[in-house]
Amino acid sequence: LLEIFGVPLSILPAVAGSASLFGTLRRDIVGGNIPIGAVVGDQEASAVAAGLEKGVTKVTYGTGAFVAQGLGENFALYNDFYTTLVPGLYGAEYMIEAKVAGYGEKVDKYLKDPVKLKEILTALADDVAKILAKLPLPINQLIVDGGITQDEFLVAEQERATGLKLVKQKIYDGTSLGVLYLLQDFLKQPRV
């Protein structure tokens, strides 16, 4: 690709693990030199928070519902899923993920209409259950996060739709928790 597009290798940044020193924020912008010690996508960060090992499955409910399952160290492709790289505890690991789109806007629209909101959350739980049924590995544990998991109705509906007991993440913002874990790895601090 570098040859095709005429990009010299020397201008590209070095490849680094997600928990690495990437540089610092400029003092003149933020008032101090703040190190950047983690760079990771949102679903991958949420996977770090979930400890996404092989067979562990998570669902993040936010602007959409994102279903992910850990594959361990073996790369694989599956229909209806994207395969992505996740920073693991002992090196790179893989996960597959799929998105149930369109619910974030519907949830926002009906936050003040409890009856309609429950209908939407029930439909969301049913759509997520359909994706979970397509996963290639048995579900060892189903971890959920995202702002809407603060609503116990959704959690109960998801348990009904799947027949599985859900484990709520320590805090609903699993993405931020995953970034914190990576920063702690970068700083070599014990995880909270």
Side-chain angles (χ1 to χ4, degrees):
L1 288 175
L2 295 177
E3 247 180 64
I4 290 170
F5 293 107
V7 176
L9 179 63
S10 62
I11 69 167
L12 296 179
V15 175
S18 291
S20 301
L21 179 60
F22 291 93
T24 58
L25 296 174
R26 290 182 13 203
R27 176 181 296 278
D28 61 321
I29 294 175
V30 294
N33 290 335
I34 300 172
I36 302 168
V39 174
V40 63
D42 59 349
Q43 294 311 308
E44 290 76 11
S46 176
V48 169
L52 203 64
E53 298 173 345
K54 187 172 183 176
V56 173
T57 306
K58 72 157 197 78
V59 181
T60 297
Y61 302 90
T63 55
F66 301 87
V67 175
Q69 185 173 64
L71 298 177
E73 297 175 0
N74 299 317
F75 176 85
L77 297 173
Y78 296 95
N79 290 335
D80 302 320
F81 294 96
Y82 299 99
T83 301
T84 187
L85 195 59
V86 177
L89 292 175
Y90 307 106
E93 295 183 13
Y94 295 94
M95 74 176 191
I96 54 173
E97 65 176 317
K99 178 181 179 182
V100 178
Y103 282 96
E105 294 170 4
K106 291 178 185 176
V107 168
D108 285 346
K109 183 176 177 180
Y110 293 108
L111 283 174
K112 295 186 192 262
D113 182 348
V115 174
K116 186 67 174 171
L117 182 60
K118 286 183 178 183
E119 288 175 22
I120 290 167
L121 295 179
T122 297
L124 172 59
D126 290 339
D127 284 351
V128 168
K130 290 174 190 169
I131 291 175
L132 291 170
K134 294 180 183 180
L135 289 169
L137 301 174
I139 297 173
N140 297 351
Q141 186 176 38
L142 183 55
I143 300 170
V144 296
D145 65 13
I148 202 164
T149 59
Q150 296 173 87
D151 185 330
E152 291 299 325
F153 180 81
L154 174 64
V155 173
E157 280 300 289
Q158 197 63 77
E159 288 180 342
R160 174 205 53 81
T162 61
L164 298 168
K165 178 73 178 147
L166 276 60
V167 176
K168 287 175 71 172
Q169 189 55 267
K170 292 176 186 176
I171 63 171
Y172 72 84
D173 191 345
T175 299
S176 294
L177 185 60
V179 171
L180 173 64
Y181 286 171
L182 288 171
L183 286 170
Q184 288 175 323
D185 287 347
F186 168 70
L187 298 170
K188 306 298 184 231
Q189 301 291 318
R191 290 187 172 189
V192 294

